[in-house]
Amino acid sequence: MTSGSGVNRTLIALAGMALLGTGLWLLGATRAVADHLPAGWPAPPADGVLLDREGLASLRETGWWAPAVLATGTVIALLCLAWAVTRTPVRGLRPTGSLSTARAELRLTALEATVCEDAHRVEGVARARCRIVLRRTSAHLTLRVWTRPGCAPADVLDALGTLSTTVEQALHPRGLRTRTRVSAQRHAAPHVR
């Protein structure tokens, strides 16, 4: 749970407990609070409750009741609307423009296949495997390469670095983190029977 969510839940719980306590207090209040009521508030009967049907009817007849209820309802509705608007994610408009070869978006699997083919074309590489993971602001390229027997890993690293730079340009504006693992392919030993 995030801190904003925790604060929201705490405030909602406190407001609910305050409303519940006030409601329970009004239900049980009788003559004990009659002396502390405002001057315009009608006094409850001796054996009645603070808010009964007759008391509410007399409140509705006063001139301030309707504007007070309307103002309170409006404030509560605006607060709920403001809360709902802050909870709605706002997505910015995507920029549009002409597609050129540099800005054309590729499907991720097509880009992975292209990277594997380009890595396989590097002299000394027997086979290659590629995985690209996109994050919100970055991308991760994991490249696994097996070299042919007799080829040193240092011989292929420069070409693979160039390949990584090309992928970074294709994924711009995301930053690219590359992890390359180079292994030597085992010599094919003849089997003797």
Side-chain angles (χ1 to χ4, degrees), residues 167-181:
V167 173
E168 185 174 12
Q169 290 171 355
L171 294 175
H172 183 75
R174 290 183 171 97
L176 180 69
R177 291 177 51 197
T178 304
R179 180 176 176 226
T180 305
R181 184 173 176 190

Side-chain angles (χ1 to χ4, degrees), residues 109 130 156 160:
T109 54
C130 171
V156 297
L160 294 177

Side-chain angles (χ1 to χ4, degrees), residues 92-168:
L93 297 175
R94 293 186 180 194
T96 58
S98 61
L99 290 176
S100 65
T101 56
R103 298 206 24 104
E105 294 184 15
L106 294 173
R107 286 184 39 179
L108 198 56
T109 54
L111 183 59
E112 289 175 346
T114 303
V115 170
C116 285
E117 288 174 15
D118 288 348
H120 194 265
R121 286 188 197 126
V122 171
E123 187 177 343
V125 173
R127 61 186 176 122
R129 195 169 54 196
C130 171
R131 175 85 174 135
I132 299 174
V133 178
L134 294 180
R135 302 273 194 273
R136 188 172 288 201
T137 58
S138 65
H140 299 278
L141 167 65
T142 305
L143 187 60
R144 176 76 193 267
V145 175
W146 288 268
T147 60
R148 290 194 174 100
C151 181
D155 298 339
V156 297
L157 283 178
D158 289 336
L160 294 177
T162 306
L163 181 64
S164 176
T165 305
T166 306
V167 173
E168 185 174 12

Side-chain angles (χ1 to χ4, degrees), residues 19-103:
L19 288 173
L20 180 65
T22 303
L24 290 174
W25 178 75
L26 285 174
L27 278 175
T30 56
R31 300 298 304 166
V33 294
D35 299 334
H36 304 293
L37 291 176
W41 198 286
D47 60 345
V49 293
L50 187 60
L51 292 175
D52 59 355
R53 289 185 186 270
E54 292 82 21
L56 286 174
S58 65
L59 277 177
R60 288 187 191 116
E61 293 172 0
T62 61
W64 59 268
W65 177 260
V69 169
L70 185 64
T72 304
T74 303
V75 167
I76 290 172
L78 288 175
L79 287 174
C80 290
L81 182 64
W83 177 80
V85 166
T86 59
R87 292 284 152 216
T88 305
V90 178
R91 302 207 187 275
L93 297 175
R94 293 186 180 194
T96 58
S98 61
L99 290 176
S100 65
T101 56
R103 298 206 24 104

